[in-house]
Amino acid sequence: MVAERMAGLLSRIREQAAPFYGLAAALGIGLPLLLGVVTGQMDRATLAGIGAFLLAFTAPSGPYGARARSLAVSIAVIAAGGALGGLLAGHRWATVAVIAAVVPAAVSVSWMRPTAVMAVLLTAVRPPPGHPLENALFMALGGLWLALLLLIPWPARRLRPLREALGGAAGAIAALLDVVAGELENPARTDADQAADTTRWDRCHKQAVAAVRDAATTHRLYRSGGEEERRGTQPQQLIDTFYRMIRTTVGLHEQIQSLTAHPPMPGTTPDPWRSGAHEAVAALADRARLLSETLAGARPAGAGGEPPIQAEPFTGAGAVRDGHRDREGLIHAAIAGQISRSIDRLDSILRSARHILGDGLRTGLPAHRPRPPPAVDPAGVAAALVRAVRDRSPLFRHATRVAVLVTAAMSISTALRLTHGQWLPVTVLLSLRDTYGQTMSRVGQRVAGGVAGSAIAAVVLALAPSRPHIVLLMTVFAAAGFGLRSMSYTFWSVCSTPLLMMLMDLTRLSDWDAALQRIAMVAAGGGIAVVGARVLWPRAAGQQIPARTAELLSANAELTRAAASVVDGQTAHLPGDRLAAADAAVNNVADLRSRLENEPSHDPGRADRLDRLDTVVRASRHLRDRLIAVADTSRENFGEDDPIARILDRVADGIERAAVSDDAAPGDSGPAGRLDLTDQFAALDVQITSLTRDGRGEDGLTDERLRRLAPAPHTLGALVDDANELISAAGLVR
């Protein structure tokens, strides 16, 4: 058991640790302090160390160009905060007033971050106070020194963030293909197996979409041009190819679900074909992983040349019995043929990705052009601020809550003239998160880590009272804390507390009494955060549920209409904006569900409400997948009486009515309150039956219309079930 836990811990360290970041932070903080020891200018050295600490605290990420811009902005904020803190030094109540004004801006504006508050607070209370310009200069120099260390790898590792993002996207697609291969591997799956496969599919599909979206975001950070300029670059072509792979895999998943709807797999589908299809999909997953390794730099480019992956063609021999055409056999054969075609298409898309990659990844950056300054619309900013205040947006409420509690903590410290009282507002500032549940978790981690860190600081000061030894230990704390920060916030608190404490008081060595006072301040700050959050946290998430679910229903209805337009030939494919709008609406409801779960509440019915929101999110995602599959494989135009388009239109009607009505029962509903589309499904069955009678091609398998219509009954039936589940759950939760 111990060995397993140690192995798991080592695995987490390998995956999540950032040793270079920890080393850079240690050198950025430690070298100025060492120079201060040598030159006897510890006051100025600690200013530089605080500047480096605050810059490391911001944890810039992303491509090096974006990272450099973020570092530059953070250095300016730190320098300005240091200058302001110098002006406020010695003026306690003025510091309280300024902190009350700075906190809302720091929480609301992404480029300010809590770093601005920390810069003001640490320099305003740090003994002895420095001159404002001196504060700004040396804190900026400390930040510049650390920024240089963080950007040193830029020339050699410029493409690494993009490589990792694209490689992660290809790896996520490989995992999605593994799920599909597993569905073919075991045709005699139980209901429990199918439920587990569905859960795994949902998780892997969500991860694949998120990974490709992250890759697109990373690529945008590399480019200074507009969307059209990015479109022709190699990374954007790969991203577009990944989206096609996901959509085709979604269609393949639905086709396999249609074939295995009634396990075991139909007897008309021979085991050799099933085994061959499984091996083909598994091979596609392996090649996607090879592409992932190539993109991430773990494998040299140009190592392709593999033969094409082709599923064994299905002959449909079992579809004719005693000289008569077997309807079910022909349908199963048609679905199997469509599966083989989807496998071939995936192989083609994957080969296209390897061809695009060629001999290596390149961004194709255009000639340098000055980046236009961001347009600032004061009227628009003011209008957005007024709207946030009027609507009491989550960001506005969070900023107000943090400002009130930090100001209260600062006021208590000032009024009581507490020694080391700055740890009250610091603990409150670093503990409050934008959800109640996260705040409670963070308070526990922060207080436990802070108390342990304070005790460690006391031991360090007792055993190594000279400044050179303390500087060396601070460097060790910085390397460990920043290197493992992403792995454990508690561990980060244990390391950062003594580091920050000694940074603030390095100009005068402390004793055990000071350490105990700090422990008391950290614990009191955690108590203020808990009590204040419990009292001030609004129960507002539930009030947004009706509007969010109505938006979700409307987005799904529009997506369903768009799929109907594809089926009846009016458009070539599902519009990207409709898919994006549906995804955004689902994510909004999922975020709302998380906020509701993290709100303080004693409502006994909240668990049921959360379950219904889970159902809404799950049904919406399944509905989207099935619409993608239908639009991708049912593009045969049957005219105005196309049964597939008519079914989709009726589903869209029901979802639209639910979006504008408080009644949970959908339109066109039967006795059980479900969409009744019996006539439309009967018309679809007539179309399929007519294609399986008197041959249109040998055994009917060359008929393109049958191949495309065969999976439709199961997929559309599941789609209608998803719509019913969505409408019912949305109506009940509203």
Side-chain angles (χ1 to χ4, degrees):
M1 181 66 69
V2 175
E4 292 179 359
R5 291 183 178 179
M6 289 299 299
L9 178 61
L10 292 176
S11 177
R12 285 185 60 199
I13 291 175
R14 283 195 302 270
E15 294 174 359
Q16 301 180 26
F20 175 79
Y21 194 77
L23 177 61
L27 291 176
I29 297 171
L31 187 60
L33 297 178
L34 180 60
L35 291 176
V37 171
V38 173
T39 61
Q41 299 289 328
M42 285 307 300
D43 190 33
R44 295 175 176 177
T46 51
L47 283 171
I50 290 173
F53 174 86
L54 293 177
L55 188 67
F57 185 76
T58 63
S61 60
Y64 283 94
R67 194 177 303 182
R69 294 189 293 272
S70 176
L71 288 171
V73 172
S74 296
I75 290 172
V77 170
I78 291 169
L84 182 57
L87 288 172
L88 296 171
H91 305 283
R92 291 175 173 266
W93 286 107
T95 302
V96 174
V98 171
I99 290 295
V102 172
V103 169
V107 175
S108 304
V109 181
S110 61
W111 53 266
M112 288 186 67
R113 304 183 182 95
T115 309
V117 183
M118 296 283 288
V120 175
L121 186 58
L122 297 183
T123 51
V125 301
R126 175 183 162 269
H131 188 279
L133 295 181
E134 185 181 41
N135 284 1
L137 175 62
F138 284 96
M139 291 175 70
L141 288 176
L144 285 171
W145 162 237
L146 178 58
L148 177 63
L149 292 175
L150 293 175
L151 296 176
I152 281 176
W154 191 344
R157 302 172 70 181
R158 181 175 66 88
L159 291 179
R160 181 172 180 177
L162 184 59
R163 283 185 175 278
E164 292 177 346
L166 291 171
I173 292 173
L176 193 65
L177 288 168
D178 283 334
V179 177
V180 176
E183 294 172 343
L184 283 167
E185 184 178 19
N186 180 21
R189 293 175 298 158
T190 64
D191 291 342
D193 293 334
Q194 290 183 353
D197 287 345
T198 299
T199 301
R200 186 183 175 202
W201 165 264
D202 290 342
R203 182 181 68 254
C204 290
H205 180 260
K206 181 180 179 180
Q207 291 172 349
V209 172
V212 178
R213 187 179 294 118
D214 289 345
T217 300
T218 302
H219 179 234
R220 281 196 297 272
L221 294 174
Y222 274 86
R223 308 291 297 179
S224 61
E227 183 66 26
E228 291 302 321
E229 187 176 295
R230 289 194 296 267
R231 181 59 55 186
T233 62
Q234 182 204 47
Q236 186 61 51
Q237 291 175 347
L238 287 169
I239 291 167
D240 293 340
T241 302
F242 290 156
Y243 276 123
R244 290 200 303 274
M245 285 196 70
I246 291 176
R247 293 181 65 167
T248 305
T249 304
V250 167
L252 177 61
H253 166 73
E254 290 299 328
Q255 293 155 16
I256 294 173
Q257 292 292 306
S258 298
L259 189 63
T260 61
H262 303 289
M265 188 174 285
T268 53
T269 308
D271 286 341
W273 176 87
R274 178 190 57 79
S275 299
H278 166 257
E279 292 174 0
V281 177
L284 287 172
D286 290 339
R287 291 192 180 177
R289 268 185 287 273
L290 290 177
L291 179 63
S292 173
E293 294 173 1
T294 302
L295 285 166
R299 179 181 295 270
E306 302 94 342
I309 297 175
Q310 293 182 338
E312 181 178 343
F314 188 75
T315 62
V320 179
R321 298 178 181 176
D322 301 328
H324 298 286
R325 301 167 61 80
D326 178 29
R327 179 183 184 276
E328 293 301 319
L330 287 174
I331 292 174
H332 295 153
I335 297 174
Q338 190 65 32
I339 291 173
S340 298
R341 175 175 292 189
S342 295
I343 293 173
D344 293 342
R345 186 180 174 193
L346 279 169
D347 177 61
S348 176
I349 297 173
L350 189 55
R351 287 179 163 278
S352 176
R354 293 198 65 88
H355 176 74
I356 292 170
L357 180 60
D359 58 357
L361 184 66
R362 53 194 180 276
T363 58
L365 290 173
H368 176 72
R369 66 182 66 179
R371 181 183 293 271
V376 178
D377 180 12
V381 173
L385 179 60
V386 171
R387 186 165 54 252
V389 174
R390 183 183 64 245
D391 298 340
R392 291 184 297 174
S393 69
L395 179 59
F396 169 75
R397 290 197 300 268
H398 178 57
T400 304
R401 186 164 47 245
V402 176
V404 168
L405 294 180
V406 171
T407 303
M410 191 69 186
S411 299
I412 293 172
S413 171
T414 300
L416 300 180
R417 295 185 175 272
L418 298 174
T419 305
H420 306 293
Q422 65 270 17
W423 287 103
L424 277 177
V426 167
T427 302
V428 173
L429 176 68
L430 298 181
S431 298
L432 291 172
R433 316 309 293 168
D434 54 2
T435 69
Y436 180 81
Q438 291 174 345
T439 296
M440 294 300 101
S441 175
R442 181 58 61 91
V443 167
Q445 293 173 326
R446 184 71 199 174
V447 171
V451 170
S454 299
I456 291 173
V459 173
V460 167
L461 292 171
L463 299 179
S466 65
R467 287 195 177 97
H469 294 94
I470 292 177
V471 168
L472 178 61
L473 288 171
M474 290 171 68
T475 304
V476 173
F477 281 130
F482 285 104
L484 300 177
R485 180 182 179 184
S486 59
M487 190 185 78
S488 170
Y489 185 81
T490 301
F491 182 81
W492 154 251
S493 297
V494 171
C495 293
S496 65
T497 298
L499 174 60
L500 188 55
M501 285 180 174
M502 288 184 278
L503 263 178
M504 293 175 64
D505 294 343
L506 195 56
T507 51
R508 61 177 186 187
L509 296 178
S510 304
D511 53 20
W512 278 87
D513 290 339
L516 293 175
Q517 291 171 6
R518 293 177 186 131
I519 291 175
M521 292 300 101
V522 169
I528 291 174
V530 169
V531 174
R534 189 68 177 85
V535 172
L536 297 179
W537 211 280
R539 283 68 169 172
Q543 300 173 6
Q544 300 181 36
I545 290 177
R548 293 297 187 191
T549 53
E551 291 173 4
L552 176 61
L553 291 168
S554 297
N556 281 323
E558 292 177 358
L559 184 62
T560 307
R561 294 260 189 239
S565 298
V566 174
V567 171
D568 64 15
Q570 295 182 22
T571 56
H573 52 77
L574 281 176
D577 59 341
R578 290 283 186 265
L579 282 168
D583 286 340
V586 172
N587 292 334
N588 286 338
V589 173
D591 291 341
L592 185 64
R593 188 259 183 220
S594 297
R595 285 178 28 219
L596 181 64
E597 182 181 28
N598 282 294
E599 283 187 352
S601 175
H602 299 291
D603 181 9
R606 187 172 70 160
D608 291 338
R609 210 172 194 189
L610 293 175
D611 288 342
R612 292 183 185 120
L613 285 173
D614 286 334
T615 301
V616 168
V617 171
R618 182 180 63 253
S620 296
R621 287 175 174 157
H622 289 177
L623 182 69
R624 175 202 58 199
D625 285 356
R626 300 193 207 283
L627 289 173
I628 290 173
V630 170
D632 199 41
T633 60
S634 301
R635 296 177 184 168
E636 183 68 25
N637 188 0
F638 291 90
E640 296 182 356
D641 292 330
D642 182 357
I644 296 179
R646 291 176 65 186
I647 290 173
L648 294 178
D649 281 333
R650 295 298 184 276
V651 171
D653 290 342
I655 298 176
E656 281 181 346
R657 277 191 285 270
V660 298
S661 173
D662 293 331
D663 187 3
D668 293 339
S669 60
R674 298 173 61 84
L675 283 167
D676 183 8
L677 303 179
T678 305
D679 293 341
Q680 286 72 31
F681 275 97
L684 176 60
D685 186 72
V686 169
Q687 292 279 3
I688 294 175
T689 301
S690 67
L691 296 175
T692 59
R693 281 191 191 131
D694 300 324
R696 298 193 179 197
E698 184 179 358
D699 287 336
L701 296 181
T702 58
D703 194 308
E704 182 68 18
R705 301 168 80 184
L706 177 59
R707 194 189 303 273
R708 293 189 181 277
L709 280 181
H714 174 268
T715 301
L716 290 173
L719 186 149
V720 172
D721 289 341
D722 293 333
N724 283 321
E725 189 176 33
L726 170 63
I727 294 170
S728 176
L732 291 173
V733 82
R734 292 162 69 187

